[in-house]
Amino acid sequence: MSELSIPAVEPALIRTLETRPKQAAAWLARLPFASPADAAQQIRTALHAMNRSTLDSALRETLLALYRPAVARTTAGLETLLGDAGVPPHAQQRQHAALLRELALEHAIGYKHLLRDPAQGSSVRHQAELLARLLAALRIVQDAHALTYSPLPAGLWLNLHRLYAQARSTGLADAAIGDTRPASLAYREALLIALADPPHMSRGELLHTRAYAHAFGTHAVLREGAAGETGFAIDTGSDKGPAGHSAADAGTLWLDTDALCRQLHDTALRLRTGDTPRRLGLPEGMEGELSLLVAKRLSKRWRNGAQRAFSRRRSGDGTVEVVAGVCAIHRLLSDDPSDEADGDSLPIGDVSTLNTPPLAVHASRWTMRNDSAAGLALSGVPDSALNLKVGDALALREGEGTAWSLAVIRWIVMRDGGEVELGIERLAPRMQPVWVRPLRGHRKTPEPALFVPGLAALKQPDRLMLPRFLYADGMDAEIWQAARQYILSFGRRLEHTPSFDLIDFTVFA
């Protein structure tokens, strides 16, 4: 496949590479896997040299087989190091993210070399195996960019489409050869991950999405011909992923997701009623609330995709001030003299002991790219590590002296040069700082929270935005709001993100 691009040969690099398989295996075994970043750096350097050296294809394939387990191990380690790091990340996390992407890319380039060699076409079965391995390696590239909120490399989807077409031509696209998974399964997983919309997900949600795609990807059906009731069109001649139903005429393949969505719905029901992940074919640790939340979202996204409720219009060069996080917003409003208490009377209590922590709140400034009735897109090049995450609460205002409004980050993309793009959904035109102290459990100190006034025109009740891990259904709590103290009972949870819970409540007379 001559259309697969590979880097130019650099003859000097061969001297830095161990090409004897026995010695290479011994070197790989001695790598410091307890330090994933160090091990990954050494493997990346070796793969970089291998991919820019002239080697016999049989030797290259032998070396890649030795490297595969080490690449998988260090990739998992780097993903753990990233944890729940936000955007822009701290310097060390930024290095880990770059290393994760580079390691995945160099690993994939190795299999591009093998498929470019005409001698590899002598055996159809061998060619099908290499195609499956390269598709799997490009899936890892997709994961690395999704987990670091980075745009996919140019040509990735074009390569995925062409490789799958080539695998189908062998007649073995659905066959597992040796220890490789079928080429069609890797391709379907790539399509499903794209449909899940990674920029809109936290890392935890992405990892759960990957597990669902891996476990149930076989239920998605790829076929040619007319579009079905449930699924997505795939334009295999483009450098794009799957499209919505309306783009069916542009596609040459159709991904039917009806059976997949039914399987996902059944799995969510069984998880909710206490079935174990192992019995459902899922990894351990997927019995929690996050798994159910992700399954619910995927059932929608994998059925017909997300539709925009409001059209966006381009803005000029207007700027917006942003403060992120429930606690930071609470401090901001507590210090803001323009924040006025609600006039509705409630029993007054003593709040003299609830002094706002003396921590400065710094707002970052962003450029507004476009906006709509429900949200807006922002871009900027922050000069510090803001650690923003999908699901973070935001306070926004468009100018000095104007009121702060409440919003939430729905998607994040990291561009070259440190530029960050944010997709923001508006939640409320105003909010007020409150203190919350649950009346059961071990919490003695009140926690900062936000009172979100309802909107009568939308028949929207008053709500509370709580920091994570504070909510429990039906829990009673004391509330201090300005100079008022009252008791309420937590009601239904309206939204749950990795950063906050938005709930309704009932006030006791």
Side-chain angles (χ1 to χ4, degrees):
M1 298 185 67
S2 58
E3 63 270 18
L4 294 173
S5 60
I6 57 175
V9 173
E10 299 180 34
L13 290 178
I14 190 66
R15 295 193 294 270
T16 68
L17 178 67
E18 178 54 75
T19 58
R20 296 167 297 175
K22 185 175 180 179
Q23 285 75 5
W27 170 73
L28 287 166
R30 295 193 303 269
L31 286 174
F33 290 106
S35 175
D38 292 337
Q41 181 64 51
Q42 294 185 51
I43 295 173
R44 188 209 67 83
T45 300
L47 287 172
H48 178 91
M50 186 191 306
N51 292 331
R52 289 154 184 80
S53 300
T54 302
L55 293 175
D56 174 74
S57 290
L59 174 59
R60 190 186 299 274
E61 187 171 1
T62 298
L63 292 174
L64 285 172
L66 295 173
Y67 276 74
R68 262 197 318 272
V71 170
R73 187 173 177 181
T74 52
T75 295
L78 287 173
E79 290 180 1
T80 301
L81 289 178
L82 285 176
D84 61 352
V87 172
H90 296 289
Q92 189 175 46
Q93 293 165 336
R94 186 167 59 250
Q95 293 168 5
H96 293 158
L99 187 53
L100 181 66
R101 295 191 298 267
E102 292 166 5
L103 179 64
L105 186 59
E106 292 294 345
H107 181 231
I109 291 173
Y111 286 102
K112 288 184 180 182
H113 271 282
L114 295 178
L115 280 166
R116 281 175 59 95
D117 186 350
Q120 299 300 326
S122 57
S123 165
V124 173
R125 188 174 179 84
H126 187 215
Q127 185 187 39
E129 179 183 1
L130 293 178
L131 287 165
R133 292 206 182 280
L134 180 52
L135 277 164
L138 291 176
R139 264 283 302 114
I140 297 172
V141 173
Q142 181 192 32
D143 275 349
H145 283 259
L147 288 168
T148 57
Y149 299 102
S150 303
L152 293 176
L156 179 71
W157 276 112
L158 196 57
N159 282 335
L160 286 168
H161 298 324
R162 289 173 176 173
L163 290 166
Y164 174 65
Q166 186 70 16
R168 289 180 65 198
S169 72
T170 67
L172 297 172
D174 297 317
I177 303 172
D179 62 347
T180 64
R181 303 179 78 213
S184 66
L185 187 53
Y187 183 60
R188 279 177 282 178
E189 287 179 16
L191 296 170
L192 292 173
I193 294 295
L195 289 168
D197 201 357
H200 281 81
M201 308 179 86
S202 68
R203 282 200 181 89
E205 291 167 342
L206 276 168
L207 294 174
H208 277 66
T209 297
R210 184 172 66 183
Y212 279 126
H214 187 82
F216 303 138
T218 52
H219 294 277
V221 179
L222 278 167
R223 55 182 171 78
E224 294 179 304
E229 291 294 326
T230 304
F232 302 86
I234 305 161
D235 185 357
T236 57
S238 73
D239 192 21
K240 298 178 182 178
H245 194 287
S246 61
D249 293 340
T252 56
L253 276 179
W254 180 259
L255 180 70
D256 190 326
T257 58
D258 183 61
L260 170 66
C261 290
R262 283 189 275 109
Q263 173 67 35
L264 195 60
H265 178 72
D266 179 65
T267 298
L269 287 177
R270 292 175 64 182
L271 284 172
R272 188 177 291 112
T273 54
D275 226 334
T276 64
R278 182 185 294 275
R279 290 181 59 183
L280 298 174
L282 295 170
E284 294 297 330
M286 290 193 66
E287 66 275 8
E289 185 178 20
L290 180 59
S291 298
L292 293 173
L293 177 66
V294 172
K296 181 179 179 180
R297 290 181 179 175
L298 293 179
S299 294
K300 295 179 180 179
R301 293 192 180 278
W302 287 350
R303 182 166 294 279
N304 50 22
Q307 302 297 321
R308 187 182 297 283
F310 300 95
S311 61
R312 289 200 182 273
R313 57 183 180 274
R314 286 193 62 81
S315 298
D317 295 325
T319 60
V320 177
E321 286 186 281
V322 169
V323 172
V326 173
C327 295
I329 296 171
H330 186 280
R331 294 198 304 272
L332 171 77
L333 298 178
S334 298
D335 292 335
D336 188 350
S338 66
D339 180 61
E340 298 179 357
D342 196 315
D344 296 337
S345 62
L346 285 166
I348 296 176
D350 181 13
V351 293
S352 61
T353 60
L354 301 180
N355 294 320
T356 303
L359 297 175
V361 178
H362 299 288
S364 55
R365 190 170 291 277
W366 299 73
T367 299
M368 194 188 316
R369 292 303 183 195
N370 58 58
D371 66 347
S372 73
L376 58 159
L378 307 177
S379 68
V381 185
D383 55 4
S384 60
L386 299 179
N387 207 33
L388 301 175
K389 306 178 184 69
V390 172
D392 275 356
L394 296 182
L396 304 175
R397 72 175 181 182
E398 297 185 22
E400 192 74 29
T402 59
W404 291 94
S405 62
L406 184 62
V408 58
I409 298 177
R410 292 304 189 197
W411 55 263
I412 294 176
V413 175
M414 282 281 291
R415 302 287 183 188
D416 292 338
E419 183 183 8
V420 178
E421 294 184 7
L422 304 176
I424 307 299
E425 180 184 355
R426 294 184 173 95
L427 294 182
R430 60 194 179 104
M431 61 284 190
Q432 298 166 11
V434 297
W435 293 95
V436 179
R437 181 166 61 195
L439 294 182
R440 69 172 185 260
H442 302 290
R443 294 180 183 272
K444 303 298 183 184
T445 305
E447 301 283 347
L450 300 174
F451 173 80
V452 185
L455 297 172
L458 300 178
K459 297 182 179 180
Q460 193 177 70
D462 295 342
R463 294 156 290 166
L464 276 179
M465 180 175 283
L466 305 174
R468 278 295 309 278
F469 309 117
L470 193 63
Y471 173 80
D473 188 21
M475 176 185 286
D476 297 339
E478 283 185 291
I479 302 292
W480 285 267
Q481 181 180 358
R484 302 189 301 278
Q485 178 185 358
Y486 53 101
I487 296 177
L488 55 73
S489 179
F490 293 167
R492 186 166 52 99
R493 182 157 56 186
L494 306 172
E495 180 166 358
H496 168 78
T497 79
S499 300
F500 67 80
D501 291 306
L502 187 65
I503 68 168
D504 62 18
F505 57 87
T506 303
V507 176
F508 293 130

